[in-house]
C-alpha cells in the first residue's frame, strides 16, 4: 500500500471488496485496518463488499458496515451495501 500512498495525483481510493478475509474471526478486521490506516486515512476511500466481507450469518456484514461506511443514504439506497456516487466524470455504482 505504500506505493499507492506515494501517488500525488490520487483523488480517491475505491477498494473493490474482500478487505479482510476475516471469515468469522473479527480480529482480522482490526489487522487489516491497522495495515490500511496510513493509506485510507490520507486519501478519501470507499469500498464495496466482497463475498468475504458479507456472509450469510450477518456477522461479517456488521463488521464491514461498521468499519467502512458508504454513502448509501445520500444515493437513495436503503442498504449500506448498495450505493452510487459521482466521482469526477465517473458515476460509480
Amino acid at each position: 500500500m505504500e506505493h499507492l500512498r506515494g501517488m500525488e495525483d490520487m483523488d480517491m481510493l475505491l477498494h473493490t471488496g474482500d478487505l479482510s478475509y476475516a471469515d468469522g474471526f473479527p480480529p482480522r478486521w482490526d489487522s487489516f485496518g491497522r495495515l490500511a490506516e496510513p493509506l485510507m486515512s490520507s486519501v478519501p476511500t470507499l469500498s464495496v463488499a466482497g463475498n468475504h466481507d458479507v456472509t450469510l450469518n450477518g456477522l461479517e456484514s456488521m463488521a464491514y458496515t461498521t468499519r467502512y461506511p458508504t454513502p448509501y443514504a445520500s444515493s437513495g439506497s436503503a442498504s449500506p451495501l448498495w450505493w452510487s456516487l459521482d466521482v469526477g466524470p465517473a458515476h460509480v455504482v
Side-chain angles (χ1 to χ4, degrees):
M1 289 189 209
E2 284 297 318
H3 68 285
L4 292 175
R5 205 166 147 217
M7 295 176 66
E8 294 179 18
D9 61 346
M10 184 186 302
D11 293 325
M12 75 167 289
L13 172 67
L14 178 62
H15 195 297
T16 57
D18 290 344
L19 279 77
S20 80
Y21 285 85
D23 295 333
F25 187 66
R28 286 196 186 114
W29 282 104
D30 299 328
S31 295
F32 174 78
R34 283 190 296 277
L35 290 170
E37 184 176 16
L39 174 63
M40 291 179 155
S41 66
S42 64
V43 176
T45 303
L46 286 171
S47 63
V48 295
N51 64 317
H52 291 274
D53 301 322
V54 182
T55 59
L56 296 177
N57 66 15
L59 296 176
E60 298 301 325
S61 301
M62 184 182 300
Y64 170 79
T65 57
T66 300
R67 286 173 174 84
Y68 303 99
T70 62
Y72 75 96
S74 64
S75 71
S77 175
S79 168
L81 301 178
W82 302 97
W83 54 268
S84 66
L85 181 72
D86 290 328
V87 180
H91 185 71
V92 179
V93 179

